[in-house]
Amino acid sequence: MQIKFELVTYDEVLDKFELDENIYLLEIDEEQEKTYNLLKNTDLHLYNWFKESDFFIDWIKKEVYPSSIGKKFAINSINDIGFFRFYFFKVTSGDSHYDYFKKLFDIHEESQWQDREVVGEEILKALALKKQELIIELKEDVIQEITQPS
């Protein structure tokens, strides 16, 4: 099975994400496909599975961002399952984004008349932490030597 990825790069100095304009294709094996199919309806579980998978990070290092140790990026979409709202949410974002984050962060509106900006600011505070969790940093592989007792 082939998985389509769109990525965003993270600029730590500006604390800003920028869309990587490329689309990347990753071929996964049957076992990985089973896991993908189990997780595809739970977006953050799917995201975290890729983020924590050695095969995904190795593919990124070899095929997507070679020679880019230290580069920080995040997944913008996986087969059209979008995560853009995490990186580009604004107080003026649409209702579907508000509803998603209110549910995700367990934010309750005091009334239907509560100012949208107040809720938006609360979402932005919670997102500041969540964004950091979503960032993937390419690190060098560390090989530990096993020493034999003499």
Side-chain angles (χ1 to χ4, degrees), residues 59 123 136 145:
W59 172 71
I123 291 170
I136 302 166
E145 291 183 28

Side-chain angles (χ1 to χ4, degrees), residues 5-150:
F5 288 92
E6 293 179 15
L7 305 173
V8 290
T9 56
Y10 178 66
D11 184 326
E12 197 167 15
V13 174
L14 299 175
D15 187 26
K16 177 180 158 187
F17 292 91
E18 289 192 26
L19 186 61
D20 178 333
E21 302 279 333
N22 299 304
I23 292 175
Y24 301 98
L25 300 174
L26 170 64
E27 190 71 36
I28 60 175
D29 64 29
E30 286 181 33
E31 193 64 34
Q32 294 162 339
E33 183 178 351
K34 288 177 188 174
T35 304
Y36 171 83
N37 286 327
L38 285 172
L39 298 174
K40 69 182 179 185
N41 294 322
T42 54
D43 55 358
L44 288 178
H45 292 298
L46 180 65
Y47 188 105
N48 287 326
W49 176 63
F50 278 109
K51 180 183 175 193
E52 296 167 8
S53 296
D54 290 338
F55 76 90
F56 175 73
I57 299 300
D58 289 345
W59 172 71
I60 292 286
K61 286 180 181 178
K62 291 175 185 165
E63 304 293 328
V64 178
Y65 298 130
S67 304
S68 294
I69 299 302
K71 184 173 192 71
K72 293 183 178 184
F73 70 97
I75 301 169
N76 190 51
S77 74
I78 302 169
N79 274 356
D80 299 323
I81 300 168
F83 301 94
F84 62 92
R85 66 180 93 201
F86 285 93
Y87 320 117
F88 304 115
F89 179 83
K90 294 181 176 31
V91 173
T92 56
S93 291
D95 290 341
S96 65
H97 302 297
Y98 269 83
D99 293 339
Y100 178 87
F101 286 126
K102 285 190 307 188
K103 183 177 178 185
L104 180 68
F105 298 128
D106 199 23
I107 297 171
H108 299 284
E109 292 179 274
E110 294 174 19
S111 73
Q112 288 183 320
W113 307 108
Q114 186 173 358
D115 190 354
R116 184 180 176 104
E117 288 184 24
V118 172
V119 175
E121 291 299 324
E122 203 170 328
I123 291 170
L124 285 171
K125 283 181 202 171
L127 264 179
L129 295 173
K130 185 52 99 177
K131 285 179 190 177
Q132 293 304 312
E133 292 174 15
L134 297 175
I135 293 172
I136 302 166
E137 181 177 1
L138 295 180
K139 297 181 181 178
E140 289 188 56
D141 294 333
V142 178
I143 300 171
Q144 295 179 343
E145 291 183 28
I146 300 173
T147 56
Q148 299 291 330
S150 330

